[in-house]
Amino acid sequence: VATAAQKKLGDKIIIVDAYSAGLYAEEAVARVLAHQPDIFDLSVMSTNINRGLKLLKGVKHAQPTVTTVLGGQHATLFDRLLLREVPETDMVLRGEGEESFPKLCQTLQRNQSLTGLPGLSYRNGGQIIQGQPQVIEDLDALPFPDRTIPDYQGYYAQWGYWQTGLGVPVTSILSSRGCPGHCTFCTRIPTELSRWRPRSPENVLQELRHLSRVG
């Protein structure tokens, strides 16, 4: 969804989904570098943090001028640790990035101060400035995901590594965010992100109709 908002700024967005395309780390690095990005944004969960950091380091070492940004659940929880122990990490965006990521890109393009940017954790000299996780309250106000962006041709013919075999494009819709449960084994940190927030039925139906029109 962040990419749909980002395109309104006129930026060129490329998504490399290494997982769906079955790329090893070295192949994913080469795919990213082929586009010579100014900003490399990587979403990491705790389940893929090791592979994600390998990709991050590969891109940063090959193209030191690129600005690297980490997002996702793991980065939100461990932003200070990543900035302190992984020098290839330039910045971390905490929480949901639909609003904060376009603002960050615009700020970097204009060479403006990072002070006060929502959700942003970064180094300032020897100090780590920690941003507050961003939460989107009105999910209906978000644009629908731009599903034309992924560069892998087989993206909508599979689910993860697995081919669907359905012969028609397949995608998913998020009708809500957060969780109504209070499981003790869940991190539930920060709590504002885990709070359940639904989209309206009308908004979900609009997206379903849009998907139907585009096949």
Side-chain angles (χ1 to χ4, degrees), residues 141-194:
L142 294 176
F144 298 150
D146 188 337
R147 294 176 171 88
T148 66
I149 296 178
D151 69 343
Y152 173 53
Q153 297 301 312
Y155 187 83
Y156 295 112
Q158 65 186 58
W159 192 257
Y161 283 126
W162 298 277
Q163 297 291 322
T164 63
L166 297 177
V168 294
V170 175
T171 190
S172 60
I173 290 179
L174 288 178
S175 60
S176 66
R177 293 183 181 180
C179 179
H182 300 278
C183 302
T184 57
F185 58 80
C186 184
T187 59
R188 289 187 55 77
I189 300 173
T191 55
E192 57 266 32
L193 280 171
S194 61

Side-chain angles (χ1 to χ4, degrees), residues 25-75:
E26 295 79 7
E27 296 171 317
V29 168
R31 184 77 63 88
V32 171
L33 292 174
H35 299 291
Q36 293 294 295
D38 297 310
I39 302 171
F40 176 53
D41 181 41
L42 180 64
S43 180
V44 289
M45 304 289 285
S46 297
T47 52
N48 71 351
I49 181 62
N50 291 328
R51 287 173 293 173
L53 290 181
K54 187 175 182 180
L55 174 58
L56 178 84
K57 293 176 181 179
V59 171
K60 187 67 171 179
H61 291 168
Q63 188 180 328
T65 57
V66 69
T67 299
T68 58
V69 184
L70 285 180
Q73 182 193 46
H74 191 94

Side-chain angles (χ1 to χ4, degrees), residues 125-142:
Q127 184 182 8
I128 293 177
I129 308 299
Q130 186 176 45
Q132 290 300 311
Q134 297 300 290
V135 181
I136 306 297
E137 294 292 347
D138 184 7
L139 299 180
D140 285 6
L142 294 176

Side-chain angles (χ1 to χ4, degrees), residues 74-87:
H74 191 94
T76 294
L77 295 174
F78 301 108
D79 56 322
R80 286 183 177 273
L81 180 68
L82 290 165
L83 288 167
R84 186 171 63 246
E85 298 191 1
V86 185

Side-chain angles (χ1 to χ4, degrees), residues 1-7 97-98 102 142-146 174 177 207:
V1 180
T3 55
Q6 184 73 1
K7 286 184 72 174
E98 286 86 355
L142 294 176
F144 298 150
D146 188 337
L174 288 178
R177 293 183 181 180
E207 186 172 3

